[in-house]
Amino acid sequence: MVNPQHDPAGGAEPVDIAVYGATGFVGELTARHLAENAPPGVRIALAGRSAAKLAATRANLPLAAREWPLIVADSADRAATDRLAAAARVVLTTVGPYAKYGRGLVESCARAGTHYADLTGEVLFVRDVIDRLHGVAEASGARIVHSCGYDSIPSDLGVWLAHTAAAADGAGGLTEVRTVATMRGGVSGGTIDSLRGHIDAVRTDPVRRRLAADPHTLSPDRAAEPTPSQPADAGPPARLDDGTWTAPFVMASYNTRIVRRSNALLGHAYGPGLRYGELQGCGTGPVGAVAAAGVTGGLGLLVGAFMVPVLRPLLDRVLPAPGTGPSERTRERGWFRMDVRARTESGRRYRVTVAGPGDPGYAATAVMLGESGLALALGGSALPDRAGSLTPATAMGDVLVDRLRAAGHTYRVSRA
């Protein structure tokens, strides 16, 4: 049974949500979303390394945030992260790369029984948290929820909804599921920095390289995984039955592993024969074919360039830096759409549309992380009765779906 109670250090009443990294680009966007959308009475704090910068961030937020407390904590100071975890019921962190800056905070939360949500897309970091802290968080009642932004909420909740619709209809387990992603917006500097760190980690370590390549690397029990092969994360441009040209999706190698972990944590309730993959949609006809070729080639060049250390300074000059982001106008013009196409054991087909306004890596991600914090803080007994190192679907399920719908995102299921 998940224990919703929290005993903060010194007996002080904790805030409901602390936003760690609030002075960074996405952290401030998340704080702004909470200031504008949190129900009255929800107690929120801003946390980070610098009291002066936190105060400046708070001064730029809506009036609702002007009395929010500030919590100073350095990610390298374990005593400070322990105090932060003790001061909040939920900690939201935007401070990555998480393998570099996040280990102490997630451990502090797991041991304190504090719910935690991050934006990581780092498969090796998540595997490390599972190995070190899943049992600790289960014992304390903490929900440690990774990937609560564009990585990987749309994918995870989209497949969750396909599963719940098929289960309600008695259509059998999911077998073949493909998600086709389309979007307008840039990749965040934090995502780029995480990719850089991931490539460095696997380039010279064959053990970690094999671990990262395993499609079930986030499984709670790798030996218990069913045996169907999984779709490749990358490949040449291809055309779907409806004429859409597709290319590899930059987030597929991570998102697919989160979805498979959700299935495994639920006892493979989605279906023991689930084969799940993701692609990027590039349009139809000759224009779509050219776009698919361009995306495929560009992604290959980016990854290849990161593998060559001498090219790093050039990439650092042209790619977005961590903590930076696009203009407000660019963020507002962005959007994302995930088209989940599912087939079941009975042959019945389902389509799930997950979509939202705003640049996916910044504006939409801030909404997702903020609503995840509110779901964890306010969901109570409506949340799944589960603790440990979790995924958005297994930690929050329909509670988060409902919150995101109310925040203006689309989660729509149709039966083909």
Side-chain angles (χ1 to χ4, degrees):
M1 183 73 176
V2 174
N3 182 2
Q5 301 301 315
H6 189 290
D7 183 18
E13 183 70 13
V15 297
D16 295 302
I17 300 171
V19 181
Y20 186 60
T23 60
F25 198 87
V26 177
E28 184 171 350
L29 290 176
T30 302
R32 182 171 298 276
H33 175 79
L34 289 170
E36 294 172 346
N37 295 278
V42 176
R43 295 161 298 170
I44 300 170
L46 303 180
R49 291 186 300 170
S50 167
K53 290 182 179 179
L54 288 169
T57 296
R58 181 176 60 183
N60 288 327
L61 293 175
L63 284 174
R66 294 303 164 84
E67 300 301 320
W68 286 359
L70 308 178
I71 303 174
V72 177
D74 189 313
S75 63
D77 183 344
R78 180 57 187 275
T81 60
D82 284 349
R83 289 193 296 270
L84 172 58
R89 299 183 187 279
V90 179
V91 171
L92 307 181
T93 173
T94 65
V95 180
Y98 293 88
K100 185 175 182 180
Y101 298 115
R103 295 176 186 272
L105 178 57
V106 68
E107 182 165 352
S108 293
C109 290
R111 296 192 181 282
T114 300
H115 303 320
Y116 161 104
D118 65 26
L119 297 175
T120 191
E122 303 164 51
V123 69
L124 295 175
F125 168 74
V126 177
R127 182 67 257 178
D128 176 68
V129 172
I130 293 166
D131 293 339
R132 292 190 303 116
L133 299 173
H134 178 68
V136 173
E138 277 190 311
S140 72
R143 295 178 175 89
I144 304 299
V145 195
H146 301 292
S147 313
C148 291
Y150 187 51
D151 267 357
S152 299
I153 279 177
S155 304
D156 202 32
L157 293 185
V159 179
W160 159 262
L161 287 175
H163 154 68
T164 55
D169 292 343
L174 305 179
T175 54
E176 295 286 333
V177 183
R178 297 293 181 277
T179 293
V180 179
T182 51
M183 78 294 291
R184 172 190 284 175
V187 177
S188 75
T191 297
I192 294 294
D193 206 28
S194 294
L195 175 62
R196 183 187 292 110
H198 174 80
I199 289 174
D200 287 343
V202 303
R203 184 163 51 88
T204 58
D205 188 332
V207 174
R208 302 185 88 184
R209 187 160 58 245
R210 286 193 297 271
L211 186 66
D214 184 350
H216 298 288
T217 196
L218 299 184
S219 173
D221 184 355
R222 182 64 181 87
E225 283 295 329
T227 56
S229 61
Q230 296 295 323
D233 296 320
R239 190 168 67 170
L240 302 178
D241 292 343
D242 63 2
T244 299
W245 282 95
T246 64
F249 181 41
V250 66
M251 297 177 178
S253 64
Y254 183 75
N255 291 342
T256 53
R257 285 153 177 77
I258 289 291
V259 169
R260 293 178 195 128
R261 177 165 177 78
S262 292
N263 189 29
L265 286 172
L266 295 170
H268 297 99
Y270 293 176
L274 173 67
R275 285 172 39 83
Y276 179 65
E278 295 188 350
L279 301 162
Q280 180 170 332
C282 298
T284 59
V287 173
V290 171
V295 170
T296 303
L299 183 58
L301 286 173
L302 176 63
V303 174
F306 269 130
M307 297 289 287
V308 182
V310 72
L311 296 178
R312 288 291 180 86
L314 174 62
L315 291 174
D316 290 343
R317 286 198 296 269
V318 300
L319 293 172
T324 65
S327 68
E328 182 177 359
R329 182 172 183 270
T330 299
R331 296 196 308 270
E332 290 178 348
R333 293 179 64 193
W335 53 267
F336 76 92
R337 178 187 174 101
M338 306 288 272
D339 181 19
V340 183
R341 310 174 182 201
R343 187 170 64 199
T344 67
E345 293 167 341
S346 67
R348 189 170 295 183
R349 295 174 182 265
Y350 294 82
R351 297 284 286 269
V352 180
T353 300
V354 180
D359 182 293
Y362 296 95
T365 281
V367 173
M368 294 180 213
L369 182 61
E371 293 301 326
S372 294
L374 291 169
L376 290 169
L378 305 177
S381 61
L383 292 169
D385 187 15
R386 188 175 292 114
S389 181
L390 305 174
T391 61
T394 58
M396 295 174 282
D398 289 336
V399 172
L400 183 55
V401 171
D402 291 343
R403 292 206 67 91
L404 288 170
R405 281 173 173 156
H409 288 198
T410 297
Y411 284 81
R412 183 175 63 246
V413 183
S414 60
R415 293 160 174 81

